[in-house]
Amino acid sequence: MAPLVGISRYNLIPLSLTSLCGCPCRLLSSNTLSRSPNPPKLKLNLASHGSEPVFRVRPTGIHVNRRLITAVARAEPESIDESNVNEEINKGHVLPAAKDSLSELQHKSSELRKRIVFGLGIGISVGGAVLAGGWVFTVAMAAAVLLGAREYFELVRSRGITAGMTPPPRYVSRVCSVICALMPILTLYFGNIDISVTSAAFVVAMALLVQRGNPRFAQLSSTMFGLFYCGYLPCFWIKLRCGLTAPALNTRIGAGWPYILGGQAHWTIGLVATLISVSSIIAADTYAFLGGKAIGRTPLTNISPKKTWEGAIVGLGGCIATSVVLSKVLSWPASLLSAIAFGILNFFGSVFGDLTESMIKRDAGVKDSGSLIPGHGGILDRVDSYIFTGALAYSFVKILLPLYGV
């Protein structure tokens, strides 16, 4: 309903509403009203979109609130009707509540544009790194690991987590971040970093134990988990992409791949498996989000209340469908059952990684792990679904497929 002001006057000298509203802060004197033996009667009927009163009647006169809409302020008494008010509102004179809603809508639209633009940029960059492989993929992975490790240790030092534990010293956190960034490079060079990881964990543990003050087990556990979560697990993507060098001979795309870019030999089992795994994770996240928005009703877990069982089921279906379609396009894996199993494995790895990071953020009392990527949050917010999936995908290709001969 359009905001309307109705004034019924009895024994009053006709007043111009323009003079009434000319100065929002002016208090009209009671001398303006006509003097008569009977006190003047003023009846004020107001309908407005807001809950705050537009007029306040006082014994000394009428006080006009500043929030009175310009539509009414510009109207003359003889022309106050719904059509005039609508005309003024259409010119842009809206209530503060409407302005707030418009501002919020513009903010959401801006955030969505940022999310789409930066999402496309990240997707193209990651796709190019995966196709390039080798040192390009490894250096990109090392950079992401360094940023993710820094975010993790900042979360560990946040108030929400430090309220129940003593965080590791800052210099230990920085050293651990560098160690995590070196792990992908060592994996590419040596192929196996078990000894390196064990040695690094031992050195970090000794540094914590000999520090000044009172060492706490919480410091040791959070640091060791950081080395495992941010450093060791991402290295399986290096093993998957760069370590599985057997050519995918049946891939039709490889047959037409330019010789200058490596020819058919460039399309290895590792490249094909990585492309299918990454695409399946993207499909799982996208379909789960859309399914949850459309039909989500039942919460999946208290760790992340916005996730629903309905969204998870839709995400699982999208992940399996993507895995099956790409297996037909890339001619790997050979059997339909293997493609379905690969899709299921990727889905559960992505969900488990997402929930793990959500648990860390919940204990830290933050919404995002950082603000590095506009519209997306931190680097951990973007790669959480990939952290555990690399190890599962590598194990599937390296162990399960040869074991069952598919």
Side-chain angles (χ1 to χ4, degrees):
M1 179 177 67
L4 297 175
V5 175
I7 301 178
S8 300
R9 289 185 293 268
Y10 300 95
N11 300 320
L12 291 176
I13 295 174
L15 299 174
S16 170
L17 189 60
T18 306
S19 65
L20 180 66
C21 304
C23 179
C25 59
R26 179 169 35 185
L27 188 63
L28 297 183
S29 172
S30 59
N31 294 331
T32 310
L33 303 178
S34 65
R35 304 295 184 180
S36 65
N38 297 324
K41 300 178 182 179
L42 176 63
K43 183 179 179 182
L44 184 63
N45 300 322
L46 173 65
S48 176
H49 291 292
S51 59
E52 182 177 349
V54 177
F55 290 97
R56 290 198 297 270
V57 180
R58 298 182 178 177
T60 57
I62 303 174
H63 177 77
V64 182
N65 193 289
R66 286 180 180 273
R67 297 172 71 88
L68 180 62
I69 59 174
T70 311
V72 178
R74 291 188 174 185
E76 292 296 328
E78 61 274 9
S79 61
I80 300 178
D81 56 25
E82 186 172 353
S83 61
N84 289 339
V85 174
N86 287 333
E87 181 180 355
E88 292 293 333
I89 291 176
N90 291 333
K91 290 179 181 179
H93 308 298
V94 295
L95 288 171
K99 290 182 179 179
D100 294 340
S101 299
L102 180 61
S103 176
E104 182 179 357
L105 182 62
Q106 291 175 345
H107 177 71
K108 290 183 178 180
S109 177
S110 175
E111 288 296 318
L112 180 61
R113 285 196 297 269
K114 289 181 180 179
R115 190 178 182 89
I116 293 174
V117 170
F118 280 91
L120 289 175
I122 293 172
I124 294 173
S125 301
V126 171
V130 171
L131 284 174
W135 283 103
V136 175
F137 180 72
T138 303
V139 171
M141 179 66 69
V145 166
L146 177 62
L147 296 173
R150 290 179 63 87
E151 288 183 356
Y152 167 80
F153 284 106
E154 286 300 320
L155 290 175
V156 171
R157 299 184 63 86
S158 64
R159 292 181 179 180
I161 293 182
T162 56
M165 59 163 280
T166 302
R170 190 171 294 276
Y171 76 90
V172 174
S173 301
R174 292 172 178 173
V175 170
C176 288
S177 298
V178 175
I179 292 175
C180 290
L182 291 175
M183 287 185 186
I185 298 175
L186 295 176
T187 301
L188 179 66
Y189 190 78
F190 293 106
N192 197 322
I193 60 169
D194 293 343
I195 297 177
S196 302
V197 171
T198 305
S199 302
F202 175 76
V203 172
V204 171
M206 290 300 297
L208 291 172
L209 292 175
V210 300
Q211 66 175 312
R212 294 180 179 179
N214 185 21
R216 302 292 297 272
F217 175 73
Q219 295 177 330
L220 182 63
S221 60
S222 61
T223 304
M224 293 298 106
F225 181 76
L227 291 174
F228 171 76
Y229 181 73
C230 300
Y232 182 69
L233 287 176
C235 291
F236 282 95
W237 285 105
I238 306 297
K239 291 184 176 183
L240 179 67
R241 171 62 185 92
C242 306
L244 303 178
T245 57
L249 299 177
N250 296 326
T251 302
R252 291 186 294 272
I253 297 179
W257 194 251
Y259 180 77
I260 193 173
L261 297 178
Q264 187 170 1
H266 182 76
W267 284 83
T268 62
I269 296 295
L271 173 58
V272 173
T274 303
L275 288 175
I276 294 177
S277 184
V278 171
S279 301
S280 298
I281 295 171
I282 295 174
D285 290 343
T286 303
Y287 280 100
F289 174 78
L290 296 177
K293 284 289 186 180
I295 59 175
R297 297 293 183 273
T298 310
L300 179 63
T301 175
N302 293 331
I303 295 176
S304 185
K306 292 185 178 181
K307 291 181 173 57
T308 62
W309 279 104
E310 293 82 0
I313 293 173
V314 175
L316 175 60
C319 186
I320 294 175
T322 302
S323 179
V324 170
V325 170
L326 289 180
S327 70
K328 299 299 182 183
V329 173
L330 300 174
S331 302
W332 184 94
S335 69
L336 177 63
L337 183 61
S338 297
I340 293 174
F342 196 48
I344 294 174
L345 199 66
N346 285 317
F347 173 78
F348 281 104
S350 67
V351 171
F352 185 70
D354 194 344
L355 294 179
T356 301
E357 200 242 353
S358 296
M359 180 176 61
I360 297 173
K361 291 190 298 183
R362 184 192 63 177
D363 287 351
V366 298
K367 179 182 178 182
D368 298 321
S369 63
S371 57
L372 178 66
I373 309 173
H376 291 264
I379 190 71
L380 284 180
D381 294 318
R382 291 299 90 206
V383 303
D384 53 1
S385 299
Y386 300 84
I387 292 177
F388 290 96
T389 314
L392 295 176
Y394 178 79
S395 301
F396 179 84
V397 178
K398 187 72 174 179
I399 300 174
L400 293 180
L401 286 185
L403 182 64
Y404 291 98
V406 290

